[in-house]
Short mmCIF file of all heavy atoms in Angstrom, two decimals:
data_model
loop_
_atom_site.label_atom_id
_atom_site.label_comp_id
_atom_site.label_asym_id
_atom_site.label_seq_id
_atom_site.Cartn_x
_atom_site.Cartn_y
_atom_site.Cartn_z
N SER U 32 5.21 -7.44 -6.37
CA SER U 32 6.05 -6.45 -5.72
C SER U 32 5.45 -6.18 -4.35
O SER U 32 4.23 -6.21 -4.18
CB SER U 32 6.10 -5.16 -6.53
OG SER U 32 6.72 -5.37 -7.78
N LEU U 33 6.31 -5.91 -3.37
CA LEU U 33 5.86 -5.73 -1.99
C LEU U 33 6.30 -4.37 -1.48
O LEU U 33 7.38 -3.88 -1.82
CB LEU U 33 6.43 -6.84 -1.11
CG LEU U 33 6.03 -8.26 -1.51
CD1 LEU U 33 6.79 -9.28 -0.66
CD2 LEU U 33 4.53 -8.46 -1.34
N PHE U 34 5.46 -3.78 -0.64
CA PHE U 34 5.69 -2.41 -0.18
C PHE U 34 5.32 -2.29 1.30
O PHE U 34 4.45 -3.02 1.80
CB PHE U 34 4.79 -1.42 -0.95
CG PHE U 34 4.91 -1.51 -2.44
CD1 PHE U 34 4.14 -2.43 -3.16
CD2 PHE U 34 5.76 -0.67 -3.13
CE1 PHE U 34 4.24 -2.52 -4.54
CE2 PHE U 34 5.87 -0.74 -4.51
CZ PHE U 34 5.11 -1.67 -5.22
N TRP U 35 5.97 -1.37 1.95
CA TRP U 35 5.51 -0.87 3.24
C TRP U 35 5.24 0.62 3.10
O TRP U 35 6.10 1.38 2.62
CB TRP U 35 6.55 -1.10 4.35
CG TRP U 35 6.50 -2.46 4.93
CD1 TRP U 35 7.31 -3.52 4.64
CD2 TRP U 35 5.57 -2.94 5.91
NE1 TRP U 35 6.94 -4.63 5.38
CE2 TRP U 35 5.88 -4.30 6.16
CE3 TRP U 35 4.51 -2.35 6.61
CZ2 TRP U 35 5.17 -5.07 7.09
CZ3 TRP U 35 3.81 -3.12 7.52
CH2 TRP U 35 4.14 -4.47 7.76
N TYR U 36 4.02 1.01 3.51
CA TYR U 36 3.64 2.41 3.57
C TYR U 36 3.45 2.78 5.04
O TYR U 36 3.08 1.95 5.87
CB TYR U 36 2.33 2.65 2.82
CG TYR U 36 2.47 2.71 1.32
CD1 TYR U 36 2.49 1.55 0.55
CD2 TYR U 36 2.59 3.94 0.67
CE1 TYR U 36 2.62 1.62 -0.83
CE2 TYR U 36 2.72 4.01 -0.72
CZ TYR U 36 2.74 2.84 -1.45
OH TYR U 36 2.87 2.92 -2.83
N VAL U 37 3.66 4.07 5.33
CA VAL U 37 3.48 4.56 6.70
C VAL U 37 2.54 5.77 6.68
O VAL U 37 2.57 6.58 5.73
CB VAL U 37 4.85 4.92 7.34
CG1 VAL U 37 5.59 5.97 6.53
CG2 VAL U 37 4.67 5.38 8.78
N GLN U 38 1.72 5.84 7.69
CA GLN U 38 0.79 6.97 7.82
C GLN U 38 1.00 7.59 9.19
O GLN U 38 0.57 7.03 10.21
CB GLN U 38 -0.64 6.47 7.65
CG GLN U 38 -1.69 7.55 7.51
CD GLN U 38 -3.02 6.98 7.05
OE1 GLN U 38 -3.41 5.88 7.40
NE2 GLN U 38 -3.74 7.74 6.23
N TYR U 39 1.66 8.74 9.22
CA TYR U 39 1.86 9.48 10.46
C TYR U 39 0.57 10.20 10.84
O TYR U 39 -0.25 10.49 9.97
CB TYR U 39 3.02 10.46 10.33
CG TYR U 39 4.35 9.80 10.04
CD1 TYR U 39 4.90 9.81 8.76
CD2 TYR U 39 5.04 9.12 11.04
CE1 TYR U 39 6.09 9.19 8.48
CE2 TYR U 39 6.24 8.49 10.77
CZ TYR U 39 6.76 8.52 9.49
OH TYR U 39 7.95 7.89 9.22
N PRO U 40 0.38 10.49 12.11
CA PRO U 40 -0.86 11.14 12.55
C PRO U 40 -1.15 12.41 11.74
O PRO U 40 -0.30 13.29 11.62
CB PRO U 40 -0.57 11.46 14.02
CG PRO U 40 0.43 10.43 14.44
CD PRO U 40 1.29 10.20 13.23
N GLY U 41 -2.35 12.46 11.19
CA GLY U 41 -2.78 13.64 10.45
C GLY U 41 -2.19 13.78 9.07
O GLY U 41 -2.38 14.81 8.41
N GLU U 42 -1.45 12.77 8.61
CA GLU U 42 -0.81 12.87 7.30
C GLU U 42 -1.29 11.76 6.36
O GLU U 42 -1.98 10.84 6.76
CB GLU U 42 0.71 12.79 7.45
CG GLU U 42 1.29 13.93 8.28
CD GLU U 42 2.79 13.92 8.28
OE1 GLU U 42 3.41 13.25 7.44
OE2 GLU U 42 3.38 14.61 9.15
N GLY U 43 -0.91 11.87 5.09
CA GLY U 43 -1.27 10.88 4.10
C GLY U 43 -0.31 9.69 4.12
O GLY U 43 0.69 9.69 4.83
N LEU U 44 -0.63 8.70 3.32
CA LEU U 44 0.22 7.52 3.19
C LEU U 44 1.53 7.89 2.50
O LEU U 44 1.52 8.54 1.47
CB LEU U 44 -0.48 6.46 2.34
CG LEU U 44 -1.50 5.57 3.02
CD1 LEU U 44 -2.28 4.79 1.98
CD2 LEU U 44 -0.83 4.62 3.98
N GLN U 45 2.62 7.40 3.06
CA GLN U 45 3.92 7.64 2.44
C GLN U 45 4.60 6.30 2.19
O GLN U 45 4.56 5.41 3.05
CB GLN U 45 4.81 8.46 3.37
CG GLN U 45 4.29 9.82 3.72
CD GLN U 45 5.19 10.54 4.70
OE1 GLN U 45 6.39 10.25 4.80
NE2 GLN U 45 4.63 11.48 5.45
N LEU U 46 5.23 6.17 1.05
CA LEU U 46 5.99 4.96 0.77
C LEU U 46 7.21 4.92 1.69
O LEU U 46 7.99 5.87 1.74
CB LEU U 46 6.44 4.94 -0.69
CG LEU U 46 7.30 3.76 -1.10
CD1 LEU U 46 6.50 2.46 -1.03
CD2 LEU U 46 7.85 3.98 -2.51
N LEU U 47 7.37 3.81 2.40
CA LEU U 47 8.52 3.65 3.28
C LEU U 47 9.64 2.87 2.60
O LEU U 47 10.79 3.29 2.58
CB LEU U 47 8.09 2.95 4.57
CG LEU U 47 9.14 2.75 5.64
CD1 LEU U 47 9.74 4.08 6.09
CD2 LEU U 47 8.55 2.00 6.84
N LEU U 48 9.27 1.71 2.02
CA LEU U 48 10.26 0.93 1.30
C LEU U 48 9.55 -0.07 0.40
O LEU U 48 8.34 -0.29 0.53
CB LEU U 48 11.23 0.22 2.26
CG LEU U 48 10.65 -0.62 3.37
CD1 LEU U 48 10.29 -2.01 2.90
CD2 LEU U 48 11.64 -0.72 4.54
N LYS U 49 10.31 -0.70 -0.48
CA LYS U 49 9.72 -1.66 -1.41
C LYS U 49 10.74 -2.73 -1.77
O LYS U 49 11.95 -2.57 -1.58
CB LYS U 49 9.27 -0.95 -2.68
CG LYS U 49 10.42 -0.41 -3.51
CD LYS U 49 9.96 0.16 -4.84
CE LYS U 49 11.16 0.60 -5.68
NZ LYS U 49 10.76 1.15 -6.99
N ALA U 50 10.22 -3.84 -2.32
CA ALA U 50 11.06 -4.89 -2.87
C ALA U 50 10.30 -5.52 -4.04
O ALA U 50 9.09 -5.75 -3.94
CB ALA U 50 11.39 -5.95 -1.82
N THR U 51 10.98 -5.74 -5.12
CA THR U 51 10.28 -6.19 -6.32
C THR U 51 10.54 -7.64 -6.70
O THR U 51 9.87 -8.16 -7.60
CB THR U 51 10.63 -5.29 -7.52
OG1 THR U 51 12.06 -5.33 -7.69
CG2 THR U 51 10.20 -3.87 -7.27
N LYS U 52 11.50 -8.29 -6.04
CA LYS U 52 11.72 -9.70 -6.35
C LYS U 52 12.25 -10.42 -5.12
O LYS U 52 12.72 -9.80 -4.16
CB LYS U 52 12.65 -9.88 -7.53
CG LYS U 52 14.04 -9.30 -7.34
CD LYS U 52 14.84 -9.49 -8.61
CE LYS U 52 16.30 -9.10 -8.44
NZ LYS U 52 16.47 -7.67 -8.14
N ALA U 53 12.17 -11.74 -5.18
CA ALA U 53 12.56 -12.57 -4.04
C ALA U 53 13.99 -12.26 -3.59
O ALA U 53 14.88 -12.04 -4.42
CB ALA U 53 12.42 -14.04 -4.41
N ASP U 54 14.16 -12.22 -2.29
CA ASP U 54 15.44 -11.97 -1.59
C ASP U 54 15.89 -10.52 -1.64
O ASP U 54 16.91 -10.17 -1.05
CB ASP U 54 16.55 -12.88 -2.11
CG ASP U 54 16.23 -14.34 -1.94
OD1 ASP U 54 15.61 -14.69 -0.91
OD2 ASP U 54 16.56 -15.14 -2.83
#
Side-chain angles (χ1 to χ4, degrees):
Chain U
S32 296
L33 301 173
F34 306 86
W35 277 99
Y36 281 84
V37 59
Q38 191 168 35
Y39 298 103
E42 298 187 16
L44 278 168
Q45 299 177 24
L46 177 66
L47 182 58
L48 52 83
K49 68 174 184 179
T51 58
K52 61 182 188 296
D54 300 324

